[in-house]
Amino acid sequence: MSEEISWTRLRWIEKGKTDNSDMVSTHIDRDKVWRGRSGIFSDRRIYPQTQIIAFDELRTDFKNPIDQSNPTRARERILNIERICNLLRKLVVPEYSIHGLFCLMFMCAGEWVTLGLNIPLLFYHLWRFFHRPADGSEVMYDPVSVMNSDILNYCQKESWCKLGFYLLSFFYYLYSMVYALVSF
Amino acid sequence: MLFFSMVAKIIAVRFKSSTSGVEVNQKYLVVYFICLPNFLCLVPYLSSPVCPNKNSNFLQLYESTTHSTFGTFVASKRASTTVWNCCGQTFKELSSIHKHVARTHDTDIHQLTQSTFEVLLSQIEKEATSQQQSTEKEPVDISSWIPDTSHITGDQLHKPAMGDAECFCDLRVGVYKEIVPMGVDRDALFYSLAGTQLEPEEFHKEVEALLSKGDSCNDTILLDCRNFYESRIGQFSQCLAPNIRKFSYFPDYVDQNLDLFRDKKVLMYCTGGIRCERGSAYLRSKHVCKEVYQLKGGIHKYLEQFPEGFYRGKLFVFDERFAIFSNSDIISECRYCNSPWDQYQLCSTHFCCQLVLSCSACRQGGHTKGKGEEPPATPPQREECPVGQTYPSTYPPGYYGAGPQQQGYPTISGHCAPAPNKSPITNNDHSAYYHHNSHQQPIAAPTVAPSAYRVTQGSHPPSQPYGTLPTSVAPPNPQQAPPFQQTSPYAPHGAYHGQQQYLPSQALIYPQQLNLVSATPSSQGTPMYPIVSYPSAPGSSQYGTLRSSQAPTGPGAISNLIGAPLHQYPPGNGTSHPASTAAVPSGHSMAPPGQPATVNGQGNAVQAPVLQHYDQSHQAAMAHDHYGVTHNTGGADGDRPPSGTPFTSSPGHQQGMHYGYVANSGASSANASTNAAPLSSSSDEDVDEEEDEEAGGDSSSTTTGSASPVPNSYDSLEGGNYPESSIPPSADMTKQAPPFGYGYPSMQPAYQQRPSPRTDSSPSHGSYNQTGYQHLSQPFPNMSQLSAALGGLSGVPELEVEALRPVNLLQERNLLPHRPLDAPEPNLNADLKKANCSPDTFRCTLTNIPQTQALLNKARLPLGLLLHPFRDLAQLPVITSSTIVRCRSCRTYINPFVSFLDQRRWKCSLCYRVNDVPDEFMYNPVTRSYGEPHKRPEVQNSTVEFIASSDYMLRPPQPAVYLFVLDVSHNAVDAGYLDVFCQTLLENLDKMPGDTRTRVGFITFNSTIHFYNLHESLSQPQMLVVSDIDDIFIPTHDSLLVNLKESRALVRVLLTSLPGMFSQTRETHSALGPALQAAYKLMSSTGGRVSVFQTQLPTLGAGLLQSREDPNQRSSTKGVQHLGPATDFYKKLALDCSGQQIGVDLFLLSSQYSDLASLACVSKYSAGSIFYYPSLHHVHNPAQLDKFQKDLERYLTRKIGFEAVMRIRCTKGLSIHTFHGNFFVRSTDLLSLANVNPDSGFAVQMSIEESMADTSLACFQAALLYTSSKGKRRIRVHTLCLPVVSQLSDVYAGADVQAITCLLANMAIDRSISSSLSDARDALVNAVVDSLSAYKNTVSNLQQSGLIAPAALCLFPLYVLALLKQKALRTGTSTKLDERVFAMCEFKSQPLQQIMRTVHPDLYRLDTISDQGALHLNDCIVPQPHLLHLTAEKLTREGAFLMDCGSVFYLWIGKCCNDMFIRDVLGCPNHASIPPNMTQIPELETPLSERLRALLAWLQDSRTFSSTLHVLKDDASAKTSFFQHLVEDRSESAFSYYEFLLHIQQQMTK
């Protein structure tokens, strides 16, 4: 049973891009008028959201220990881990670059306060990106070490924090845009 | 345009197969242009230059135009992907819209076609003119590019086919050298030589003639050129269909079966006539056939003319249609139910991508299901993929569910069944398998596959027993089973299954018991092993207590036994069968009349019933009913005493609950079996093998009489003659010399060591050994005592005070103890202490666990565990029980530290849940009484092994499979390792752990990969070379991995000839990556162990590496680069391997840089081991070669566990967060170990998540579930219990400095790879600084100056300094990158003792050794010299010193060393005459020499890999290697110990 659930969930994650973008695009349609520049922003919310689900997925193994000990599950499980890690890795660069782009745009627009809010995250991203494991093709989320619970915990916490940050900034942008429109 | 048209001739249209997953190897010239009208313009040019026949050309053009118009018309009506709208109607199915269009829009289509055709025609004319122009413009001659196709008529070049856009959804255009690659060069084989083409009509007549002659026709062969899966669903009647998977195997097929075609008329056919073209040309080139004909246009054309002709079934095509049909015959069968079925389905096995015939009913029944679907309720059979194992194939989900009811082992069924191989042989077996219609093959099979294969295929009727054993097949009827069977190769499996299925009895194999029993009779000389079973029936159950132990012969033994203090066996039982007990040689069990023989759980339930078990009808539900029978027959087969005790019992007699208590002592019963009476060799063998396993590999049973297939491999390692290690320790502990029979070399120092004064204070080893005895001799504390024990600690002993004594490190010079340091004793109640796990197996860095994370943080010491879970144990209680008692919530195994609340309930020591005691557990087989669950062996021992029940395996356990991947490039041959390897393997071939299912294989590689076909029927090994390293494939699945037993002769031949085969090689390249891929593919269906021998940097194919080392940076004090892998190829491969339960062990024998950092990944993540022999050379470095040979010997013969997982649980509040070692972390608390070996250690780091204030004890349990080499699923459980403390001082008092050092070393290595080496070094220094300053600030009240450390930690700075000077972590000293990386790998995967010896070697002075405090073992005296500090100060010119560095001993002879010593020990007259490269101490008869050799042997004994000895003269140049181990001295780039202390002090004051 749990297997099935995890499969469906995984499918969802795999399809995450399409599903989410559908969802997001309707958001944009509705809110575009309102939000203007922050419209795209909801795009970025999906990254930490997906990540959280993915980490949760990683953590949730088959609960039945006999199942878990079964050697034949090993392959499935390893594939799962590898796939999730691949997925996460694919999302790293887009997320970071979109965030970077935003910072750049804020800078161009002279939104120094907003930029200031984003700078720490930007630096964090830069740090994270350049301190990844030396292994050539791996960006981050190495399947062989991600299951160490300290790393997993760290990643999960990171995703929650980012989700919170993106949410807050979304409302902040919304507020400032409405404010700008009203005062306009 | 001409150019285009020319190219188009060799266009291959290839349909994308990603959706279907079918591997499309054939590219057809049948041009399916219909789907894309844009390409229509090409059609005329395809044929026009070669075919002057305009009319037929136009006809075809028109036809295809019609099709395309139809297709586009339909496409234009499409609303969405699955919906079409036309004429106001909505169509959901493609066929319905087709029908609709065909009916209603016929005229539209016609008109459209007309117009399109006209346009096309005009285009053609235009192009024709422009073509002429263009040819003038471009005088490039490209005609040489294309083959001569003049013999091919136009209508052969493109063939229309019915179909639509849905079938041909994807078009690819590419230039291919050959459309249908046959693997034979075009130039070598002309098309024009092809066989005579027969028109379909002629062909029809020929076939008719052939058929009319019937069986008598011997001169004509109807040959199907297609692949086997094509011919399976449709073929001409009475055709010969070769069993080839792709067309490129066809030439091989022809080559191998030339005799078949000799002087025959061969009629060939294929789908479209192309393969015939090539195939017939090849066949003709062999000049053996009388005539070769081919069907023009293939079946395609034939079917157009004779839809009801001789071609029956469907025509397989390589597109979405899968098959087209002209007649309604179904000639193939469903794979599972054998009902007619010919629709292929993709195998649901992940990545299998092969086609399976499974009917819809069977699909619903769970066969060939997709992922994610619910596994079937009924156990399905193994899904068989028709095409062998090209792809890494896992088992389909349904298969997992099948469990033990599975018929046949995976090794012989399914994927492993003889797959179509590169050298396909059309034998009846194969075709019966692949072609279910089983045609009578017109020819006899040249080679017949072993029938075992055929019969074990899962597709056969379920009633078939697993009865294809090559030798004696035991009849299912137990009464008829020959009691003493000759060695049946499959007996051990049988035993295995017999055990899991037929042993509901709780047979406890409990070797420790032996001590007890042998205590009484130990003075007796000849060991005899009476086996008594004590039937008694408390309640409704019957219990048989079995005992096989060391005891005097005859009835006296029994009385002795009965007189043993703890076992009040009813004398009546014992004495009533004195004769039989004495005579029962092997059986562990003797059953009185009327009682079912209690099978001892091991070897005896071997034959008949077990085999019957494979009968598929034998469902688990029925198992209980069978138990009685099983027991009887088990007894009848193996256990029936020669005295002929009547042996009858009724199944109904059984209650399903049997308790068999067996006290097994490793070799003893095996010896007994050989000594006492000649019994069946099979049971001997079983016993023998079992012992081997049970005793944790220590049993050195030297079965003299019986032909044991697996001679004990541990003699040299454990040394233990079992009788010795089973000497009652209780008696020995107080005596200097054991009472009898000590063979000195076999001593287990850890166990038998006479405690020196120092160890007396902390007799941890001793206590471990005593557990067995004392637990049984003293009744375990009753409930109240137990809870009292759990409630608290027994005061603060002096030990603790001593451990806290402040030591001023700057003043105290002699910190080292006289003898090697022991693990600190946890401060526990004496009973718990006794029950605790051996520190060699399980060690915690803090023996007093701090209550909270805050406290831990204050102490600044790392918290973690060091494990050596699979080490060779001298004594290991093995428990067979139908229910393994575990906590219901956390799944902890019951252990000595649980508390029994009352008789029926126990409280888990990890999660504190209260669980019920199962009924079976209530019975204690030791005392044979009810209501004493706490006396069960599980509760008495912290290290136990369970034989897992069938719940723990959802597929039959894998056999032992060993694959050797050998580098045979010039470099490798030059180094000369191949001779040593082959020699060593030859010698140890029979000692490799395994059973009759053991399989071996060999792959060698240089720039190509060589496989070896070792099929037993061959006269000599067949070498198959695969040179396509970019896309590696397995040439044949048949016999690359062979059963060692069956093909032993061939393996020997190969090993003998292998070194010579490559002696002249000039090939310098090394394609390691492809070789590993090949190994992976070869092994993926079975799992197992891959041993890779590599001598250089991989230079070819996937995973090739570049040299990254800059020799100038070797001694740089800055960071060291390239400690991480350069590519993730090896890591990915390792993960794949881990998924398929393949462990990869790497032997790197390179003298140059080989990028171990990258290569090691393949072993690291697949739980392998890494060996590195720098500069191994048979001439230049014989010492290294010698070491390699010894290590290899150990490697080959050591125990091995397959498909293992290890889970470490700890008390609630603690959590494990990081793991160190070689494995893959599959889940946050689960380690996946493809292989587990007894020499690898693990480390984990823990944190305290919740306060543990409400508990006083913390427990840790490591459970290792593995498949033994005998194919048994076993669980080894270690439990450690430690007190929880709330005081910081207690935390310090309990610090285990060795464990801390090892854990820190592991952490430092992680840090140096993820961050940098200097970071890691800083972190190490900081660890010392932090802990010492924390101690100073919080605990120590003394305000004295200097560097204060608690006595428990006084060696901490020394060890850390030693760590910093290790190869792995040192800077400033020239260290080769590979050696550094190897040292890192060692740290990560070695057990604690080994690491500590490497980090801080033991130094002894030898010339002054005395017998004071020496150990007296047997007749040897082992001197115990004192440890010396590792500093040159301690060396004197007069002395001789021995340094024990773990893997190497250095004997350093001072310049002015006493001549007498040199003469007595080394056999040289004086210092000057000592030869420079001495690696052995001569065996001299002098007392000094004897002592010294005894000491060396004793030291050697405690480690598994043999160490080499180097005799170094004071003036030898080699002494740098010696002096680098003197870690307390200053080196050119590192602190001396005193400087280091000052540095720390300075840091602390900062």
Side-chain angles (χ1 to χ4, degrees), chain B residues 409-423:
Chain B
Y409 286 97
T411 52
I412 7 185
S413 70
H415 282 257
C416 308
N421 45 26
K422 193 168 179 175
S423 50

Side-chain angles (χ1 to χ4, degrees), chain B residues 1167-1182:
Chain B
S1169 5
I1170 300 155
F1171 300 85
Y1172 179 47
Y1173 301 92
S1175 62
L1176 178 123
H1177 198 278
H1178 64 296
V1179 178
H1180 306 143
N1181 201 343

Side-chain angles (χ1 to χ4, degrees), chain B residues 142 532 662 760 901 926 932 1157 1169 1250 1310 1324 1467:
Chain B
I142 53 168
V532 194
V662 180
D760 273 346
L901 300 178
V926 181
E932 288 182 329
S1169 5
E1250 296 166 35
D1310 270 5
L1324 279 178

Side-chain angles (χ1 to χ4, degrees), chain A residues 37-48:
Chain A
R37 69 179 176 194
S38 58
I40 292 175
F41 223 80
S42 57
D43 239 342
R44 252 172 51 209
R45 268 192 315 166
I46 66 166
Y47 293 119

Side-chain angles (χ1 to χ4, degrees), chain B residues 506 508 510 513 534 536 538 543-545 547 566-569 657 659-662 775-776 778-780 879 900 903 917-941:
Chain B
Q506 299 216 339
L508 308 171
Y510 185 28
Q513 290 293 330
Y534 301 95
S536 79
Y543 302 97
T545 305
R547 170 162 299 276
L566 280 183
H567 304 272
Q568 298 103 14
Y569 299 107
M657 235 170 62
Y659 290 91
Y661 173 79
V662 180
H775 274 203
L776 294 160
Q778 313 165 355
F780 199 76
I879 295 163
F900 285 92
Q903 293 282 5
V917 177
D919 278 343
E920 288 159 80
F921 203 75
M922 289 299 290
Y923 176 69
N924 183 4
V926 181
T927 57
R928 300 189 307 105
S929 57
Y930 250 137
E932 288 182 329
H934 55 271
K935 292 210 176 136
R936 298 262 310 188
E938 293 97 316
V939 190
Q940 300 271 315
N941 292 280

Side-chain angles (χ1 to χ4, degrees), chain B residues 1187-1494:
Chain B
K1187 180 167 169 48
F1188 170 63
Q1189 191 202 338
K1190 283 181 177 157
D1191 287 1
L1192 192 62
E1193 204 172 313
R1194 159 73 184 166
Y1195 170 77
L1196 291 172
T1197 53
R1198 71 185 180 186
K1199 236 169 98 108
I1200 185 168
F1202 298 100
E1203 44 187 8
V1205 285
M1206 182 163 77
R1207 192 187 295 274
I1208 303 165
R1209 300 181 171 89
C1210 38
T1211 299
K1212 204 166 71 180
L1214 291 166
S1215 82
I1216 293 170
H1217 61 79
T1218 308
F1219 300 92
H1220 302 278
N1222 286 355
F1223 46 70
F1224 175 67
V1225 192
R1226 213 162 84 193
S1227 173
T1228 46
D1229 59 347
L1230 188 74
L1231 305 181
S1232 169
L1233 303 157
N1235 286 177
V1236 58
N1237 65 68
D1239 302 321
S1240 58
F1242 303 92
V1244 297
Q1245 285 170 254
M1246 291 185 298
S1247 59
I1248 303 169
E1249 294 205 324
E1250 296 166 35
S1251 165
M1252 297 197 294
D1254 51 348
T1255 177
S1256 61
L1257 293 176
C1259 281
F1260 307 90
Q1261 189 172 69
L1264 179 75
L1265 172 66
Y1266 68 97
T1267 303
S1268 75
S1269 51
K1270 307 280 187 296
K1272 284 199 176 58
R1273 208 82 174 122
R1274 288 164 166 252
I1275 311 164
R1276 188 173 288 192
V1277 180
H1278 306 281
T1279 318
L1280 178 73
C1281 177
L1282 295 174
V1284 175
V1285 294
S1286 55
Q1287 295 297 315
L1288 192 56
S1289 57
D1290 292 336
V1291 176
Y1292 280 113
D1296 181 345
V1297 65
Q1298 291 188 324
I1300 291 175
T1301 312
C1302 289
L1303 189 65
L1304 279 178
N1306 274 310
M1307 291 160 67
I1309 280 149
D1310 270 5
R1311 176 75 71 93
S1312 57
I1313 292 172
S1314 66
S1315 176
S1316 74
L1317 195 61
S1318 49
D1319 260 17
R1321 289 171 58 89
D1322 289 348
L1324 279 178
V1325 177
N1326 286 339
V1328 182
V1329 173
D1330 288 349
S1331 58
L1332 292 189
S1333 52
Y1335 174 74
K1336 193 177 179 183
N1337 296 337
T1338 53
V1339 178
S1340 157
N1341 305 319
L1342 307 164
Q1343 290 305 314
Q1344 57 187 358
S1345 63
L1347 195 59
I1348 310 295
L1353 281 177
C1354 67
L1355 290 174
F1356 190 32
L1358 178 58
Y1359 284 158
V1360 169
L1361 177 67
L1363 262 185
L1364 293 176
K1365 292 187 175 182
Q1366 287 308 300
K1367 263 185 192 160
L1369 294 167
R1370 71 186 177 191
T1371 55
T1373 313
S1374 178
T1375 314
K1376 285 185 180 173
L1377 190 53
D1378 273 351
E1379 293 187 18
R1380 185 189 294 277
V1381 171
F1382 177 64
M1384 290 183 164
C1385 295
E1386 292 266 270
F1387 275 132
K1388 293 279 277 185
S1389 62
Q1390 295 273 15
L1392 182 135
Q1393 272 82 7
Q1394 193 68 15
I1395 297 179
M1396 280 322 293
R1397 275 193 215 106
T1398 317
V1399 169
H1400 190 268
D1402 298 334
L1403 182 67
Y1404 308 99
R1405 181 163 183 172
L1406 289 189
D1407 58 333
T1408 57
I1409 49 172
S1410 67
D1411 286 354
Q1412 196 191 355
L1415 285 179
H1416 294 257
L1417 302 171
N1418 205 6
D1419 52 347
C1420 287
I1421 299 169
V1422 180
Q1424 299 284 291
H1426 289 181
L1427 280 182
L1428 299 177
H1429 274 270
L1430 289 169
T1431 163
E1433 261 176 59
K1434 300 286 181 186
L1435 302 178
T1436 59
R1437 293 157 66 88
E1438 290 81 29
F1441 296 87
L1442 179 74
M1443 187 190 277
D1444 171 9
C1445 303
S1447 58
V1448 60
F1449 291 113
Y1450 292 107
L1451 182 58
W1452 189 83
I1453 310 290
K1455 238 182 193 142
C1456 308
C1457 186
N1458 195 343
D1459 276 355
M1460 194 186 79
F1461 178 85
I1462 296 175
R1463 196 178 56 241
D1464 281 0
V1465 174
L1466 301 174
C1468 303
N1470 53 36
H1471 185 267
S1473 59
I1474 301 173
N1477 280 327
M1478 206 169 166
T1479 54
Q1480 257 177 346
I1481 294 186
E1483 293 199 10
L1484 302 175
E1485 291 298 315
T1486 59
L1488 198 58
S1489 173
E1490 273 169 15
R1491 303 272 147 89
L1492 200 56
R1493 280 184 285 123

